[in-house]
Amino acid sequence: MRTIKLILILALASICAMAQPTIKTDSRYARGATKAFGRMSASMNGYSSKESGFCWSSETKEPTINDSKSTKKWSNNGTICVMEGLTPATMYYARAYITTTTGETFYGNVIKFCTVPKGNIGWEYDNNGPADANTRLNNAIKSCVDYWNEYTNITNLFLSVHYNAGVPTAECSYGGWMSVGANPSNQATGTIMHEALHAIGVGQCALWNGSTSPLRKGAGTGDWLGDRANDFLKFWDNDPNTYFKGDATHIWPYGINGAGEDKHTEQLYAACSMMAQAICEDGLPCTTSRPFGLPHYSFKQEDDIKYYIKNEDESHGLTTSYLVETADHTLQWKTLSAEQAIANDAAAWYVTFIPSSQLYQLRNASTGNYMTYNGSDNIVCEAASKATIRNMFYLMRSRIDVTSSTGTKLSTQRGYWIINPDYSQTNPPCLVAERDGYTITAKYSNLNTAKTQRWLILDESQAREMENSGMIAARDAFDKLYTQASTAVEVPHATISGDADATFNASLIEIKSQYDVAKTANEVTEQTTELNNAFIAFINNTYVKDINNPYDLTKFMNNPDFATSTTGWSVGAGGAYDYSEIEFYVDKAKTATLAQLLKNMPAGSYCLKAQGFQRPGSNDQVYSDYSKGTNNVKVTLDMTMNQRSFATGKVKNIMEERQNTQVHSEDKKLSDGTYVPNTMASTRAHFDKGYYENSIKGYTADKGDLRIYFKGDNNASSSWAICDNFRLYYYGGLTLEEIEERIAAAITVVDTDSAPKSSKIYNLQGQQVSKNTKGIVIINGKKYLK
């Protein structure tokens, strides 16, 4: 008996000593109008599970199994937990739980999500088929619409379905006119659901089609670039490295592209439905009458937290400023440190989500006024007794990380467009940072480069983190400029007037001393501006002693080789990015337009180089024309100062540097047996070998805003223009002729007849010449004037 008691005591002690189970609720989830889905993981630490699932509540932030719960699960690369019977357009708190065989229940962390309003998609069928086909199609159409109304909040979509025995499978227009053929395998829910994807714009609307879409990479098959669809897929397939893909007509996975992909399961139909919702939340305009995306709970806020808002564009206060309500109730971005903003409620905002509309209100913490679209193309602050469409906004999340001009990643947060929800417009008005601290409204642009239209919304700790990131970025920018400026004196040069070197060196010492004691990003930025001004003044008051060794100003450019997509560039309609190149093809762009603005640049002589070419027509036509001496190239490199052109030149014709041997497998072989690039991939191979180099030079007497261009007509049939690898050089504050004259005047004058007989004489192009050659020549590596 004593032995039995001892065993029981030891067993009880062992149980008491056991660590409790650890339950983790995955932060990822998916939701529709009446259902939601979660994942969980657990370390049981010796306990046994009796029951597991999710519990949830719209009332309490820490739900238990005494609230709502579900043990229903689906299998897909792990377990998906299913929550059913939810109320549409309702905020919920949910968490995973496990009840052990001993009766104890353990919970995971809480996640917060909002169900979407139910869709109101309608449908009709003409019943013009055989009776059995009519039965199948009525059931399939109703099933599809029921799923989509349960999992999406797509509105104003009506599927008008028609039986057509002449259609091989099925087809559908953007907007919902659908035809289904006689094959019974296509008279099913999956086929109707696939065609309904076309009805909401997949492969149909302008935002989807072609290589210009900011949502789809490339004109062919490519990754989807929107976060919502990719986040859903990463959750659903439990794979952090997967990406949703699309081509010119289809999506996958879960696009049900053919009857063979229709598994006739609730799980597949739910996935397809939620993917449809997600791509519309990413911005795909889901109906022709509502040419905009679907609002949703994009910014995860808390009602009682103060948030601080700053513009995503570095030149509009990213590291230096915050959005405030002024005394006259306008919105301005003002220079404030994080501590100053946190201490100033005029820079603090309460953000509230309205589940019924899926929109947000932003209320100033100092005045209680709401951001309001006043109907006069402006967003101001006004008092409001209730939520109206005037003081509610669609927060659309950015697709790219927040980075500095030097490429430094500044925040794990994403920016948001603050958009007036006028869904009748393709480009409704949104809040934009203007120069000198002002804000305006402008038509929404879905391009990644539209940084002045996007705003970071940060809590107090994130604002402080951003301050640190801003300091890092500001110091990074200063250090890079300081290295460039301090080494500029190493370029052989002469002074135009005064002692430019002494003045510049004194400035460097003073600026560096102020930089070393700077405590905020604003102070560092001020010293960077001073350094930039000193450097510009220095090179403007000098000229290089060797035309072949100019000042390299490429580092003043943003992303000159397209290493970070199109960051820093203004890309015209139809411009497509891939392989670190920008291309324009006639089907998408009748004009090639690519530009970058460099502010506060000096007067003087410049050189712009870039790789690029134009094929002004089809390969065969351009080859024929070029062989006959006709060059129809219309695209040019250009430089303007304050919008006045001072240097321009045509880029190379694709035929100018055709090769005798194949450079890339996708090259085009011409009738004479030579090869030219024919795709972006093959162009990359040619550029990497140094082909298609272009150069323009010019002088401007003005200082100010320097803009560089790759632009011109691109409207010939099959016309194609492409470029990469821009470089900018500066010779000094004089004209090229003046610089060359001064260089020549400084060269030793020599009678080449007296040169040693063994000495070879070369011109400036490196070609050997006779001793009677006049002008500047090179003897034994030194320049002389004959």
Side-chain angles (χ1 to χ4, degrees):
M1 180 65 71
R2 290 179 179 176
T3 301
I4 294 173
K5 287 183 178 180
L6 180 59
I7 292 172
L8 290 173
I9 291 171
L10 290 174
L12 181 61
S14 177
I15 292 173
C16 293
M18 287 170 57
Q20 291 184 341
T22 301
I23 316 300
K24 181 181 179 180
T25 309
D26 198 318
S27 60
R28 305 170 301 173
Y29 62 86
R31 84 291 182 251
T34 62
K35 292 183 181 179
F37 305 87
R39 287 184 181 270
M40 62 184 293
S41 59
S43 297
M44 295 305 294
N45 296 323
Y47 285 81
S48 297
S49 173
K50 176 184 176 183
E51 177 182 295
S52 65
F54 265 66
C55 58
W56 65 89
S57 173
S58 62
E59 305 290 335
T60 176
K61 293 185 177 181
E62 294 187 350
T64 70
I65 57 174
N66 295 322
D67 297 301
S68 299
K69 70 172 185 175
S70 172
T71 59
K72 182 176 179 178
K73 299 178 179 68
W74 288 344
S75 177
N76 186 30
N77 196 18
T79 300
I80 299 175
C81 298
V82 183
M83 293 171 269
E84 299 180 300
L86 306 182
T87 302
T90 302
M91 192 69 73
Y92 281 97
Y93 299 90
R95 56 179 170 175
Y97 77 91
I98 290 180
T99 300
T100 68
T101 53
T102 60
E104 298 173 275
T105 299
F106 298 93
Y107 297 96
N109 49 294
V110 176
I111 59 173
K112 180 183 178 183
F113 64 86
C114 188
T115 53
V116 301
K118 291 196 71 170
N120 70 345
I121 303 168
W123 66 279
E124 65 180 5
Y125 171 58
D126 62 12
N127 286 290
N128 282 338
D132 57 343
N134 290 341
T135 298
R136 284 190 295 268
L137 282 170
N138 276 291
N139 291 337
I141 302 164
K142 181 180 185 303
S143 174
C144 169
V145 170
D146 287 347
Y147 270 105
W148 279 32
N149 282 338
E150 181 179 10
Y151 284 104
T152 82
N153 65 326
I154 295 173
T155 61
N156 300 324
L157 177 64
F158 190 85
L159 302 180
S160 181
V161 187
H162 308 271
Y163 181 85
N164 185 346
V167 174
T169 54
E171 58 190 20
C172 186
S173 69
Y174 182 31
W177 181 273
M178 189 184 305
S179 296
V180 184
N183 190 331
S185 64
N186 294 314
Q187 298 163 1
T189 301
T191 297
I192 303 301
M193 202 169 279
H194 169 86
E195 297 303 329
L197 290 170
H198 294 312
I200 63 171
V202 172
Q204 302 277 10
C205 73
L207 192 58
W208 180 278
N209 285 327
S211 59
T212 64
S213 173
L215 295 175
R216 196 166 57 81
K217 185 177 181 180
T221 301
D223 290 343
W224 183 256
L225 303 178
D227 281 344
R228 286 294 303 126
N230 285 320
D231 286 348
F232 165 75
L233 186 60
K234 291 174 192 297
F235 162 77
W236 198 254
D237 285 357
N238 200 24
D239 181 356
N241 299 313
T242 189
Y243 284 89
F244 166 60
K245 295 182 182 296
D247 63 13
T249 54
H250 301 111
I251 66 171
W252 60 86
Y254 308 117
I256 317 179
N257 303 309
E261 292 186 15
D262 189 356
K263 306 304 180 183
H264 307 282
T265 65
E266 179 187 4
Q267 186 170 328
L268 173 62
Y269 297 154
C272 182
S273 302
M274 285 186 286
M275 185 63 82
Q277 173 74 15
I279 60 177
C280 292
E281 289 175 354
D282 277 329
L284 190 72
C286 53
T287 69
T288 54
S289 62
R290 181 184 170 128
F292 205 71
L294 293 177
H296 58 284
Y297 188 47
S298 55
F299 175 66
K300 313 305 181 191
Q301 49 67 247
E302 295 294 338
D303 292 347
D304 56 352
I305 288 181
K306 292 179 181 178
Y307 294 95
Y308 304 88
I309 302 175
K310 54 172 55 240
N311 192 258
E312 190 178 317
D313 186 81
E314 193 168 17
S315 64
H316 291 73
L318 172 61
T319 60
T320 61
S321 305
Y322 287 87
L323 189 69
V324 301
E325 179 185 354
T326 65
D328 61 357
H329 309 302
T330 61
L331 293 170
Q332 293 185 16
W333 51 278
K334 291 194 172 183
T335 300
L336 295 170
S337 67
E339 292 302 326
Q340 290 172 327
I342 292 167
N344 179 7
D345 271 356
W349 303 86
Y350 291 107
V351 181
T352 305
F353 182 69
I354 313 297
S356 59
S357 64
Q358 304 282 288
L359 300 173
Y360 290 81
Q361 288 186 302
L362 298 98
R363 178 169 58 89
N364 188 265
S366 175
T367 65
N369 292 334
Y370 290 86
M371 285 192 198
T372 304
Y373 181 69
N374 64 5
S376 301
D377 288 333
N378 208 356
I379 296 176
V380 296
C381 289
E382 293 182 358
S385 58
K386 63 179 180 178
T388 67
I389 200 68
R390 295 178 70 246
N391 55 53
M392 292 190 288
F393 294 91
Y394 179 3
L395 296 187
M396 176 173 276
R397 191 169 183 252
S398 170
R399 297 176 294 272
I400 60 173
D401 294 329
V402 177
T403 58
S404 71
S405 59
T406 60
T408 304
K409 184 175 179 179
L410 297 183
S411 176
T412 58
Q413 313 303 313
R414 291 285 177 91
Y416 292 84
W417 282 274
I418 301 176
I419 304 170
N420 176 55
D422 182 353
Y423 304 123
S424 66
Q425 299 187 43
T426 303
N427 304 101
C430 66
L431 183 66
V432 181
E434 185 61 290
R435 287 187 176 185
D436 303 320
Y438 292 100
T439 63
I440 60 172
T441 59
K443 291 183 177 181
Y444 158 77
S445 167
N446 55 27
L447 298 178
N448 292 335
T449 53
K451 291 186 176 183
T452 58
Q453 294 192 357
R454 295 195 296 269
W455 304 83
L456 283 167
I457 306 174
L458 309 171
D459 63 25
E460 183 175 318
S461 64
Q462 291 165 344
R464 288 194 169 95
E465 289 173 5
M466 188 67 191
E467 181 89 356
N468 294 333
S469 295
M471 187 61 149
I472 293 170
R475 289 193 178 279
D476 185 45
F478 180 92
D479 292 343
K480 288 183 177 180
L481 179 58
Y482 185 84
T483 299
Q484 181 180 2
S486 58
T487 56
V489 294
E490 298 175 7
V491 174
H493 62 273
T495 298
I496 296 174
S497 64
D499 192 341
D501 289 84
T503 301
F504 183 49
N505 287 332
S507 297
L508 282 180
I509 293 171
E510 174 62 22
I511 291 169
K512 185 64 165 58
S513 67
Q514 294 296 320
Y515 165 80
D516 288 339
V517 298
K519 299 185 183 304
T520 68
N522 290 336
E523 292 173 349
V524 173
T525 300
E526 289 176 5
Q527 296 311 308
T528 303
T529 301
E530 292 296 320
L531 176 58
N532 183 78
N533 293 338
F535 177 64
I536 293 299
F538 165 71
I539 62 174
N540 183 240
N541 194 30
T542 63
Y543 63 91
V544 297
K545 289 184 175 181
D546 184 352
I547 291 294
N548 296 313
N549 187 20
Y551 296 118
D552 188 349
L553 301 188
T554 305
K555 291 182 180 179
F556 276 70
M557 297 179 64
N558 193 347
N559 189 27
D561 56 0
F562 308 127
T564 55
S565 185
T566 60
T567 301
W569 292 88
S570 174
V571 184
Y577 169 81
D578 209 351
Y579 295 95
S580 296
E581 303 159 348
I582 302 291
E583 72 165 4
F584 298 87
Y585 191 70
V586 65
D587 284 355
K588 305 302 173 189
K590 304 299 184 184
T591 302
T593 306
L594 176 72
Q596 183 169 149
L597 178 67
L598 287 75
K599 297 180 180 179
N600 304 318
M601 300 300 285
S605 295
Y606 289 85
C607 174
L608 175 66
K609 294 185 177 183
Q611 287 178 285
F613 59 77
Q614 184 182 25
R615 186 187 68 202
S618 67
N619 280 305
D620 292 340
Q621 184 62 52
V622 175
Y623 173 70
S624 175
D625 291 341
Y626 190 76
S627 299
K628 297 174 184 177
T630 301
N631 182 3
N632 291 318
V633 166
K634 301 292 181 62
V635 172
T636 62
L637 286 180
D638 291 87
M639 286 190 286
T640 68
M641 183 68 82
N642 302 328
Q643 300 183 342
R644 288 188 292 272
S645 177
F646 66 92
T648 186
K650 289 183 179 181
V651 301
K652 289 187 175 178
N653 188 305
I654 192 173
M655 298 301 161
E656 283 189 57
E657 297 192 10
R658 60 191 189 277
Q659 300 300 309
N660 292 323
T661 58
Q662 188 176 31
V663 177
H664 188 274
S665 61
E666 297 176 7
D667 282 353
K668 169 70 174 178
K669 187 175 183 179
L670 302 171
S671 59
D672 67 347
T674 59
Y675 296 85
V676 291
N678 201 41
T679 64
M680 296 186 83
S682 61
T683 301
R684 175 77 275 144
H686 284 252
F687 283 175
D688 287 345
K689 287 185 174 293
Y691 302 144
Y692 297 106
E693 184 73 68
N694 302 270
S695 177
I696 58 171
K697 294 178 181 179
Y699 169 80
T700 173
D702 297 324
K703 63 180 179 179
D705 292 346
L706 174 70
R707 195 182 301 270
I708 61 176
Y709 288 99
F710 176 87
K711 65 178 183 178
D713 290 343
N714 196 49
N715 55 11
S717 177
S718 299
S719 184
W720 178 39
I722 190 166
C723 62
D724 185 23
N725 194 25
F726 284 76
R727 284 141 290 151
L728 182 65
Y729 301 100
Y730 183 75
Y731 300 104
L734 303 172
T735 67
L736 281 168
E737 292 78 10
E738 289 171 326
I739 293 171
E740 288 174 343
E741 287 175 2
R742 293 199 179 200
I743 291 173
I747 294 174
T748 302
V749 178
V750 65
D751 182 357
T752 51
D753 290 337
S754 64
K757 292 184 179 180
S758 60
S759 297
K760 294 181 179 180
I761 303 174
Y762 301 89
N763 62 20
L764 292 179
Q765 287 71 46
Q767 300 165 325
Q768 188 173 351
V769 296
S770 73
K771 63 180 181 181
N772 297 320
T773 300
K774 294 184 178 182
I776 300 173
V777 294
I778 300 173
I779 305 174
N780 294 332
K782 296 183 178 180
K783 292 180 179 178
Y784 297 92
L785 179 63
K786 167 67 173 176

